[in-house]
Amino acid sequence: MAQVHLRNVVKKYGVLEVVHAINLDIADSEFVVLVGPSGCGKSTTLRMVAGLEAISGGEVHIGGRVVNDLPPRERNISMVFQNYALYPHMSVRENLGFSLKISKRSQADIDKAVDEAAEILSLTPLLDRKPGALSGGQRQRVAMGRAIVRHPEVFLFDEPLSNLDAKLRTQMRVEIKKLHQKLKSTIIYVTHDQVEAMTLADRIVIMRDGHIEQIGTPLDVFENPVNTFVATFIGSPPMNLLDGVVKEGQIEFGDGTCLAVPPAYSTYDGQAVTFGVRADNIMPVGHALPRGEHMAEVEMTVDLTEPLGTETLLFTVLAGTEVQAKMLNPRPVRSGERMTFQIMLDKCHLFDADTGATLKK
Amino acid sequence: MKRLKLPPWLVLLLPAILILSAVVLIPLVLSLYSSFTSYRLTRPDSIFNWVGLFNYEKAVTDAKFWAAFGRTVLLLTVALNLEMLLGLGLALMVSKVTHGQRLLRTMMMFPMMFSPILVGFQFKFIFNDNVGLVNNALQSLGITDRAIPWLVDADLAMFSIIFAEVWTATSVFGILILAGLYAIPRDPLEAAKVDGCTSWQSFRYVTLPFLMPFIYIAMAIRSLDVARAYDIVQVMTNGGPARRTELLWTLIGRTGYVDARMGYANAMGYISIFLAIFFTVYFFKKLTKSRKELGMGA
Ligand SMILES: Nc1ncnc2c1ncn2[C@@H]1O[C@H](COP(=O)(O)OP(=O)(O)OP(=O)(O)O)[C@@H](O)[C@H]1O
Ligand SMILES: [Mg+2]
C-alpha cells in the first residue's frame, strides 16, 4: 500500500495548460475522489498518475518514489476505465489473468488469483465468456476484477460507473466501498457525480478549470464550502445563493427584502455579499426543523413541487431569486400556495460577492 | 391471340441474366467443355473431338505441371509472408510518424500504381547480369567481380521474381494494416500498459489480434493475385530459363497460345483454379474466425 503525492503537477497540451500546478497528498489506504464539472482536468490528472499521460511539470510520488519517468507498468497501479477497456478477444478468465500472465506468474498462481477475484465480484459463472457476451454491469465488474487481481498499491478509477443505469450504479457504489474496506488499498476515484463523491470518499478533491478548489472530508466540504462554486457543486439540490449587502445587522437584497445577518457574520457591515442557504435549511413552519434561536420567517409562494418520497422539494422565489426549499413529512402542496418558511440562520453562509470566497465567521 | 407472359421478376432480371451469360456463363461453359476435347487453336473443328477426362489425366500425371504448381505455391507462401511482415513493419512505422504521414501514405501506394508489366521490365533491367543496376552496384562496391546471373540461375531467378512481386504488393498489406492500426480502440492498449505490458507485449497480445482480420483480408486478396501470377514472370524470365521459373499460368498460357493446345490448357486451368479457391476460402475462414474472436459478428 502506498501514499501518493502530487507536487505542483502541471499538464500542458502544446501551449494550452489544462492542469495548473496542483498539489495533493493522499494517505496510505485512503479513498480520495476527484470531482468537478466536465473538462476540469480530472481524467488528465488521473492519467498522469497512471503514467498514460506525460507530466509537463512538477512531480508525482507513489509509495515514496518519484514516478514521473516510469512507465505505467513500473508504477504498481491499476486502473479501471470509463469504457471498461476489456480485451475483446480474451475470455473473462483471460482478461482477469492477463496482467499476471504478463508478469510471468505460474499458472497455479494465476488460477488462484483469478478465482479469488471472480469470487469477490460474483463473476465465477461468467469466466468462460467473452466480454461481447456480457452486460454493462458485468463488464464493469470484470474491469474491476482485472484491477484487483494484481493487488496493486494504488487503484485508479476513471468514472467507472457512468455507463451504468441508476440502480446498478448505486449497487456498484456499495460494492466498491466494500472492496475498499476489504483490500485497504489507496484509491483515487474520478467522477463528475457529486453523490458518488460524497458517498464513497474519505476525502473529496473538488476541481475546476485545472485548479483544485477545495480538499476535505465529504461533511467538511458540504458544511464549509470555501466558495460559491463548491457550495453549488456539492450537495443536491445546490445551495441557494442570493446577492445582497450587509447593513446594520441585516442583509438587504436587491428588491429591498431584508433578512437578519447570520450571527457568526456580524462583522461585515457595509460589505456586498452572496448569501447562501441550502434547501435543507429552508422549511415550511412545522416541518421538522428544530426550533432554534436564530430563525428567520418569510412568507413565499410555492411555484413548483418535486416530490421525492421521503421529502418534497419546493421551488419558490425569495427576494427575486428562485430558491429551493425542502419539506419533510410531505403533504400535497398546490402550486401558487403561500406558505411561511423558516430559514435557519445558523446554517447559512456568506460569501464575498466579488470573489465568491467564503467569509470568515 | 394470347401473348406469352413472363413473370415480372424474370423480366426485371432478364437484362442482368443476358449480360452475365454473355460475359461469364458462356465462356465458362465453353472453356469447361473444351477441357474435355482435344481442342487446338490451329484446328477449330477439333473442338468437337470429345476425349473425356484425357486432358485431366494428362495434367495430373505431368511432372511439368506439378513442378509449376509447386513453384506457384512456393511463390505464394514466400511472397505473402514476406509482404505481410514488411507491410506490417511499414504500417507500424508510418503510424508512428507525426509529420507528413499523409505524404508517406500516398508514397506507400506508388508501387501499386505501376502496371505489373512495367514492373517486370524494370526488374528485368535491374537484375540484368550485364547492364543491370544490381550487378553494377555490387561490382563498383567491390563486393563481387563476377556478373551474377540473377535471372538465369534457377534459385536466383526465383528470388528475383519474388523480390519484384514483394516490391509491388507490400503496400497492399501496408495500407490495409495501417487501416487496421487506425481502427484499434485506444482503451485496450492503455489497459495493457497499465496491466504491465512492455510495448512488445502490447503489440503481441492486443494490437496483433486486432490486426489479424486486416491481415487475412490482405492475404485473401493477394493469394488470388499471386495464384494467377503471370505478367511479371512472363516479362522477367518468360518462365525460363529452361522452365526453371515456370508458374501455373505461364505454363497454361504457353500451352494454350504457343502450343495452341487449348483443350489441355483449359483442363490445367480448371485444376489451378482450385488452388486459388482453396487459399481464398482458407483465408476467409481465418478472417471470420479472427473477427469472431474480437466479438465483431459472424
Ligand atoms: N489531447 C488533448 N489535447 C488538447 N487538450 C486536451 C487533450 N485532452 C484533454 N484536453 C483538454 O484538457 C481538459 C481536461 O480534460 P479531462 O479529460 O481531464 O477532463 P475531465 O475532467 O476528465 O472531464 P470529463 O468529466 O468530461 O471526463 C479539457 O478541457 C480538454 O479539452
Ligand atoms: Mg474524464
Side-chain angles (χ1 to χ4, degrees), chain A residues 13-14 16 18-19 36-45 47 53 82 158-159 190-192 207, chain B residues 186:
Chain A
Y13 290 109
L16 179 71
V18 297
V19 174
S38 186
C40 70
K42 310 176 296 280
S43 299
T44 309
T45 306
R47 290 165 56 82
E53 208 77 69
Q82 176 170 357
D158 191 357
E159 309 207 19
V190 162
T191 178
H192 60 258
M207 292 184 70
Chain B
R186 198 179 65 160

